[in-house]
Amino acid sequence: MYRLVLYALIGMLGLAMLLSCFKLLSFSPLMLLASTLFLLIMCWAMNTILARVFAVPANVESATITALILALILDPAQSSGDIQFLGWAAILAMASKYILAVRHKHLFNPAAIAVVITAVVLNKSASWWVGTTDMLPLVLFGGWLVARKIRQEDVVLVCCGVALACSCVVTLLQGNALLTHLKQMLLGSPLFFFTTIMLTEPLTAPPTRSLRRLYAAIVGVLFIPQLHIGSVYSTPEIALVLGNIFSYLVSPKTKVLLKLSRKVKLAPGVMDFVFKPSQQLAFAPGQYMEFTLDHPHADSRGNRRYFTLASSPTEKLVHVGIRFYPEGSSFKHAMTTMDGRTKIMAAQIAGDFTLPANPQQKLVFIAGGIGITPFRSMLKYLLDTREKRDIILFYVNKTANEFVYVDVLQAAQAQLGAKVYPVVTDTTAVPRNWPGLVGRLNEQVIYATVPDYRERTYYLSGPPEMVRASVEMLGHMHIRPNQIKKDFFPGLT
């Protein structure tokens, strides 16, 4: 996810340099290149220094992304005063992540809060020069790729729709030309860059889809250029900072250091990492967090990953179940070498893949491979709270030796009355006296084992191909889309 954002921003700056060569932008390519390099150096240096001072892992990608965003919204330097402005913007952006934070979690989009502060203190504002007609095609393409990657297309559409609708209403009330204003908003404003690249930043957004949509609507209202209090007019950065405050009020404020307690091999290629957190975590069973592991020689996939929490909020230790592959990333390789001295940072509790509020709702869980982790969290929570729910679980693996967290599944059967059906898909490797199902999970299996299948809500978690196949299967069974919940977190696809 972060690497895609990085590539999109590099592409936009590359196009800008090309356009400036043909005098289609008001600055030279050399000025843009020099200013971008200066911002990169300043952001990297400040991020490194502050990470050491606060004893937390340094996110090089995050600093690079912030620097490139600043390069796209601040005019390139043409004087020593401009250089000072860029330097302060970089310093403030990085400092905001460490100083303007609650429980080690930063509150504001770094680029946005930096330009708000410089506007107040230095009386220098962001020009948002990226919002031009010539830049628009690549901004739309790159931005939409990012939105699709993290599945926040709805957030982008809500914010754009609200901003355009409100702005048009104000324009009509003021008696101004509507078409002229629409043209300016769509072709000559930073609306699409702002919504796809900055609004979608996960660390400063609310944790659930419904709250993110409300967040997008609030920011959309604040984005309209006619909005002002006295002589102070709203700007994109002000809109986002105010939106970040709303997000702070409705989001869990958690960023913890995890110390490895033990790691247990559960199955071939699957390990359970058990961590002791620096503080007790409060989350809903089934949610995920972003993990940062600083390690040398990080590959192109970076030093951050999202993992679903396999543990229940009733447990003092944090469990994370991870599958490893022969040609794995440097991040996962670093995890295999972790010991009791290794610390990893976890932040941003989020996700909608949680138990329904109504305990009477009948449920079907369909898990594939390591996709069992959110269900382990839910079932362990129900066991510890002694809350019974009507649950049928299909746990699909290729072979019988791939099943994990069997102790929790067996306890859920015995104590909660949950029905658990292990499914082996490799028909040539079925153990003798296998008690579960064999072959692909299909409509006939559901019909035979779930007689009230139309009344249930279906939770799907596993490899994207399995989830897509399950959605298609449920569609053939005329299960409504609002009865299906799919596990997702940024970077899954």
Side-chain angles (χ1 to χ4, degrees), residues 61 217 222 262 265 367 458 471:
E61 279 183 333
L222 297 171
R262 63 182 182 273
K265 184 177 180 179
Y458 293 78
V471 170

Side-chain angles (χ1 to χ4, degrees), residues 468-486:
R468 284 192 287 267
S470 298
V471 170
E472 184 178 352
M473 174 189 70
L474 295 173
H476 293 158
M477 298 169 60
H478 305 290
I479 301 299
R480 298 188 307 275
N482 63 359
Q483 290 178 259
I484 302 172
K485 295 194 71 170
K486 295 174 287 186

Side-chain angles (χ1 to χ4, degrees), residues 24 389 417:
L24 295 174
R389 297 204 183 203

